[in-house]
């Protein structure tokens, strides 16, 4: 990657031409994998991710079964070719952390009591990374769960806000994530049920409030795109 640009915001515009409160372009394709129960391919800017859901299915190993409800498992994995410097294959501290917080962003939303002793397995593969892969993965996983017909209390939508050159921005890309002052990914179910909130860097109290509100607005926009993608695939009544 090139060195730090002198400025990340020039005349109110970001390096990729976006306004401060603008998301990167999003592309969604639901039901792309034949062998998964549900799947979704999603792009946001230069991030490209694939989510696959298997289940509800029998739990292996058996001792992790829960008698009255399903367990939800989530594996976030970055392909070795997804980043500039080759990523060493296999789990590392970062992917274990992202898998954990992403799973927790779904746990209150999946109606687990419908499937005692079963597992719902969510796999997220990052094919190309450009900052915001955990949020892209959550957005794709949410649609893959819906595609698999897993009962949920709502669609989980996710997006980050950040701070660069002293200004609060929506959906930071790689340069902004690398050289910015703060990054705050959230996930939520509309209208106000926040299931993930992480923060890297420093915000003042007022900046935090501003960033949080902006990230929630981003989630609401993503939610609308997710809803439209589901309607395009299944129709307004959920048929295909
Ligand atoms: O991707 P996300 O913003 O959720 O997580 P992050 O840990 O803040 O990583 C930000 C970005 O750094 C990733 O999206 C990748 O573009 C990059 N990265 C990388 O180049 N090599 C890694 N081993 C990990 C992340």
């Amino acid at each position: 990657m090139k060195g730090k640009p002198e400025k990340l915001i020039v005349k109110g515009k970001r390096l990729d031409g976006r306004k401060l409160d603008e998301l990167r372009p999003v592309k969604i394709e639901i039901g792309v994998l034949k062998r998964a129960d549900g799947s979704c391919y999603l792009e946001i800017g230069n991030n490209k991710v694939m989510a696959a859901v298997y289940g509800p299915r029998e739990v292996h190993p058996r001792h992790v079964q829960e008698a009255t409800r399903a367990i939800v498992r989530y594996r976030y994995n970055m392909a070795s070719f997804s980043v500039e410097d080759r990523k060493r294959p296999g789990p590392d501290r970062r992917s274990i952390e992202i898998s954990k917080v992403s799973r927790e962003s779904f746990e209150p939303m999946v109606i687990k009591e419908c499937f005692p002793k079963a597992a719902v397995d969510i796999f997220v593969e990052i094919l190309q990374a450009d900052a915001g892969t955990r949020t892209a993965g959550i957005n794709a996983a949410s649609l893959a769960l819906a595609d698999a017909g897993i009962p949920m209390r709502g669609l989980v939508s996710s997006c980050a806000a950040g701070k660069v050159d002293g200004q609060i921005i929506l959906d930071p890309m790689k340069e902004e994530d690398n050289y910015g002052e703060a990054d705050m990914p959230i996930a939520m179910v509309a209208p106000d049920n926040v299931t993930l909130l992480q923060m890297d860097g420093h915000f003042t109290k007022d900046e935090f409030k501003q960033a949080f509100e902006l990230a929630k607005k981003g989630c609401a926009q993503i939610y609308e795109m997710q809803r439209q993608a589901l309607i395009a695939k299944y129709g307004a009544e959920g048929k295909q």
Side-chain angles (χ1 to χ4, degrees):
M1 190 168 169
K2 291 177 242 132
K4 181 181 185 324
E6 205 178 311
K7 282 186 158 201
L8 289 160
I9 299 175
V10 183
K11 294 188 186 147
K13 287 267 171 82
R14 295 151 71 175
L15 295 184
D16 58 2
R18 277 185 292 160
K19 290 184 271 177
L20 303 190
D21 62 351
E22 195 175 335
L23 289 171
R24 288 172 284 187
V26 176
K27 187 177 146 194
I28 296 172
E29 222 174 308
I30 297 172
V32 285
L33 299 176
K34 203 171 88 185
R35 292 190 190 88
D37 295 309
S39 59
C40 175
Y41 171 74
L42 185 144
E43 293 181 6
I44 176 158
N46 289 320
N47 292 299
K48 299 185 179 194
V49 310
M50 180 71 82
V53 165
Y54 295 82
R57 63 180 180 180
E58 202 178 334
V59 177
H60 293 292
R62 282 255 166 109
H63 67 85
V64 298
Q65 266 185 7
E66 291 204 20
T68 57
R69 58 186 174 205
I71 59 167
V72 176
R73 296 185 287 203
Y74 192 109
R75 195 194 71 171
Y76 165 103
N77 181 56
M78 233 176 186
S80 53
F81 52 79
S82 66
V83 284
E84 230 167 56
D85 300 322
R86 177 181 177 272
K87 150 90 175 59
R88 200 160 167 247
D92 52 20
R93 280 169 61 119
R94 178 177 172 278
S95 66
I96 292 167
E97 174 222 311
I98 294 178
S99 299
K100 175 184 182 287
V101 296
S102 302
R103 171 175 53 75
E104 288 170 352
S105 77
F106 284 102
E107 277 203 311
M109 291 306 144
V110 173
I111 306 178
K112 295 187 284 186
E113 295 71 26
C114 293
F115 308 110
K117 299 185 181 173
V120 174
D121 288 312
I122 307 166
F123 296 91
V124 167
E125 295 291 323
I126 308 302
L127 306 175
Q128 189 170 287
D130 193 61
T133 57
R134 80 194 63 201
T135 54
I138 290 171
N139 292 327
S142 188
L143 290 169
L145 282 164
D147 186 40
I150 306 291
M152 287 190 287
R153 295 184 172 86
L155 274 178
V156 181
S157 311
S158 182
C159 148
K163 180 178 160 191
V164 299
D165 293 354
Q167 308 225 49
I168 303 301
I169 54 153
L170 184 63
D171 186 25
M173 54 159 175
K174 185 85 168 76
E175 287 85 350
E176 295 168 334
D177 184 279
N178 271 29
Y179 304 118
E181 292 107 72
D183 177 33
M184 183 172 73
I186 73 165
M188 64 182 286
V189 173
D192 233 359
N193 205 338
V194 175
T195 58
L196 167 85
L197 197 162
Q198 294 188 286
M199 206 178 99
D200 205 6
H202 296 283
F203 287 119
T204 64
K205 207 166 157 187
D206 281 347
E207 285 169 348
F208 172 81
K209 281 190 192 153
Q210 202 190 328
F212 186 53
E213 288 309 314
L214 188 58
K216 286 207 286 188
K217 276 192 193 150
C219 287
Q221 288 174 40
I222 302 255
Y223 169 75
E224 200 41 45
M225 294 179 213
Q226 290 172 306
R227 205 173 75 85
Q228 290 305 333
L230 281 171
I231 290 173
K233 172 87 179 157
Y234 288 109
E237 288 90 40
K239 314 184 286 246
Q240 193 191 29

